[in-house]
Amino acid sequence: MQAEPTTSLVGEEYEVEIGPVAHGGHCIARTAEGQVLFVRHALPGERVVAKVTEGEEGARFLRADAVRILEASKDRIEAPCPFAGPGRCGGCDWQHAKPGAQRRLKADVLAEQLRRLAGLTPEEAGWDGTVVPAEGDKLPAGEVPQWRTRVQYAVDADGHAGLRRHRSHEVERIDHCMIAAPGVSELGIEKHEWVGMESVEAIAATGSQDRQVILTPRPGGRLPLVELDKPVSVMRVDEKAGGVHRVHGRPFVRERADGRTHRVGAGGFWQVHPKAADTLVTAVMQGLLPRKGEMALDLYCGVGLFAGALADRLGDKGAVLGIESGKRAVEDARHNLADFPRVRIEQGKVESVLPRTGITEVDLIVLDPPRAGAGRDTVKHLASLRARRIAYVACDPAALARDLGYFGENGYRVRMLRAFDLFPMTHHVECVAILEPAAKGA
């Protein structure tokens, strides 16, 4: 029996009252018939005309853009970026909101996720309900912080660099990204032609003059002659194996944080905001309060940022085990931490490697999992190690809240939570939660 054909509603327009913000850079509205809309480019309390961008009759919800503002919020401003808006660049969600309003929206999302997924109020999570801007980012409305030290440009069929439109493979050509850090803008990626390339990633290291461009060719594409405005190393992504290979220059950049220099190989993870690494290390160390001689785990450790910070504070008799799945990141971490004889880095997935170590008890744990979070089984294992404190670093409030709920099921409570606006103009927010055994708070 064939299913009845559905009718697309793309292009339909509805006049709606905008409700609360939701996770993902949009707000919730309902049509007169009760259909749920996820509306971008709107703000809570506004009355707008919303044009459907995705969805069909009978769908649980529709996606839409606010294409006309009938009654504007007091928090609305004209988007500073000429490439922002309905149907344009998808990189920034909140260009149309005042900076303070952006942080309040993020705080509302975090509070809602904590309540819904972890059963916690802000007070129960030890959170004051605010999202704190990074140093230097508290700017007047209309001014945009230049924070993005890593920008991945998409390339259109004609070789012009741009950024992808929201939930689309289409490329929005740009001549400048307003949130790009000066070191990225100086490379002039947008001025050059990149015929045969799928994407161009530009990296400007923090604390050094290292600049790097990573080229991903289209199938059969040949590398262009790279003559950029600044000295730069060039890497190429292998179209078959996916590995990153050096074309010329260093195969890594040097990033500076917590008083140390960290080698980060091509394509390796490093915090994008120039103040992020130091901000997060400070929050984690203030929450954990490491003591000389303790044993610590750094899970999903990347190139060793937190492992190095822990080792430095635990002293000669302390020990740190880091676990990371990426082969190149492990090589970099071992290089970066070579001066700490009591630091060991193991390669593999946390859920596979940690049980094999035979470790049954530790003092401190830091985990900075990918966007999906750590998950129920990993949280249960970590809770069984009876750490006196755990620091959870998260870039996704939903995954964080789910995992905090799992920790609660396994005898841990949230002692303190801090939220940082390390991705201005976007819906993303970075959090650090400090947990301890629930008995301590009883």
Side-chain angles (χ1 to χ4, degrees):
M1 182 176 178
Q2 288 187 337
E4 292 186 13
T6 55
T7 302
S8 172
L9 295 177
V10 173
E12 291 290 319
E13 294 187 354
Y14 299 93
E15 185 175 320
V16 293
E17 186 91 21
I18 299 298
V21 65
H23 182 32
H26 50 253
C27 297
I28 298 173
R30 287 183 182 272
T31 67
E33 296 75 31
Q35 174 69 65
V36 175
L37 301 179
F38 288 167
V39 186
R40 283 174 59 85
H41 310 291
L43 294 173
E46 293 188 325
R47 190 153 194 86
V48 308
V49 173
K51 185 175 183 178
V52 176
T53 57
E54 289 181 46
E56 55 195 25
E57 283 186 356
R60 204 159 50 87
F61 62 85
L62 308 175
R63 296 184 184 275
D65 285 342
V67 293
R68 292 194 298 282
I69 311 302
L70 305 178
E71 296 177 19
S73 165
K74 62 181 177 55
D75 290 324
R76 176 174 287 276
I77 60 172
E78 179 138 2
C81 177
F83 307 106
R88 306 294 302 276
C89 172
C92 292
D93 308 291
W94 300 121
Q95 284 270 352
H96 58 286
K98 295 176 181 177
Q102 294 180 33
R103 293 190 284 272
R104 289 193 297 273
L105 291 168
K106 297 180 188 191
D108 288 346
V109 169
L110 177 55
E112 195 272 337
Q113 297 297 312
L114 288 171
R115 178 193 60 77
R116 187 168 63 87
L117 298 175
L120 295 172
T121 65
E123 293 77 15
E124 289 169 333
W127 177 43
D128 65 5
T130 64
V131 174
V132 181
E135 180 185 343
D137 279 359
K138 198 168 184 179
L139 302 173
E143 292 189 30
V144 178
Q146 299 171 317
W147 60 270
R148 196 168 186 96
T149 60
R150 294 170 176 238
V151 178
Q152 185 162 22
Y153 298 87
V155 179
D156 66 17
D158 297 323
H160 296 286
L163 298 170
R164 299 215 182 266
R165 293 170 182 163
H166 181 60
R167 294 176 62 83
S168 170
H169 292 293
E170 293 184 18
V171 178
E172 178 76 19
R173 290 189 188 181
I174 65 172
D175 55 31
H176 175 63
C177 176
M178 292 189 75
I179 64 172
V184 169
S185 297
E186 289 167 3
L187 295 176
I189 300 296
E190 303 94 335
K191 297 188 304 184
H192 295 267
E193 288 192 0
W194 303 95
V195 176
M197 296 299 104
E198 181 74 33
S199 67
V200 180
E201 183 176 6
I203 298 171
T206 300
S208 77
Q209 292 301 308
D210 291 354
R211 304 290 182 263
Q212 190 174 78
V213 167
I214 302 176
L215 302 173
T216 302
R218 297 179 187 275
R222 301 180 62 184
L223 288 184
L225 180 64
V226 180
E227 293 183 3
L228 295 172
D229 298 352
K230 295 283 180 178
V232 63
S233 64
V234 178
M235 311 295 292
R236 172 196 172 111
V237 177
D238 186 275
E239 63 183 81
K240 293 181 180 177
V244 183
H245 306 286
R246 183 173 67 89
V247 176
H248 69 73
R250 288 193 185 96
F252 57 84
V253 295
R254 295 163 297 180
E255 301 276 5
R256 188 82 179 159
D258 194 41
R260 298 176 55 79
T261 297
H262 302 76
R263 186 182 82 181
V264 183
F269 174 79
W270 187 260
Q271 291 288 341
V272 178
H273 194 293
K275 299 291 184 182
D278 279 324
T279 297
L280 295 174
V281 166
T282 298
V284 167
M285 296 304 134
Q286 287 177 346
L288 292 181
L289 298 174
R291 301 167 185 165
K292 299 291 185 183
E294 288 189 314
M295 163 67 182
L297 296 177
D298 181 12
L299 308 179
Y300 316 93
C301 70
V303 300
L305 172 65
F306 295 116
L310 284 165
D312 191 47
R313 290 157 177 83
L314 296 178
D316 295 340
K317 295 183 179 180
V320 181
L321 170 65
I323 301 177
E324 165 59 39
S325 62
K327 181 180 178 181
R328 181 57 191 266
V330 167
E331 292 172 359
D332 287 336
R334 289 171 176 166
H335 170 87
N336 296 334
L337 304 172
D339 53 340
F340 292 114
R342 290 180 61 81
V343 173
R344 189 168 96 246
I345 306 296
E346 295 288 344
Q347 184 189 351
K349 294 183 178 181
V350 168
E351 60 269 27
S352 300
V353 173
L354 188 55
R356 295 202 305 263
T357 64
I359 293 173
T360 58
E361 192 170 353
V362 295
D363 298 298
L364 302 172
I365 299 173
V366 179
L367 64 155
D368 185 4
R371 191 172 301 280
R376 186 188 296 272
D377 291 344
T378 296
V379 166
K380 184 177 181 180
H381 188 162
L382 298 183
S384 74
L385 301 179
R386 301 186 296 278
R388 69 173 180 85
R389 285 199 179 174
I390 298 172
Y392 189 127
V393 182
C395 62
D396 185 275
L400 170 66
R402 278 193 298 270
D403 283 349
L404 292 184
Y406 299 149
F407 272 111
E409 294 171 1
N410 287 278
Y412 274 78
R413 74 175 189 107
V414 187
R415 176 186 176 87
M416 177 178 65
L417 188 148
R418 299 178 69 186
F420 301 97
D421 191 14
L422 302 181
F423 309 91
M425 301 291 165
T426 79
H427 73 270
H428 300 289
V429 60
E430 194 86 11
C431 298
V432 175
I434 305 298
L435 299 103
E436 65 181 9
K440 289 191 175 183

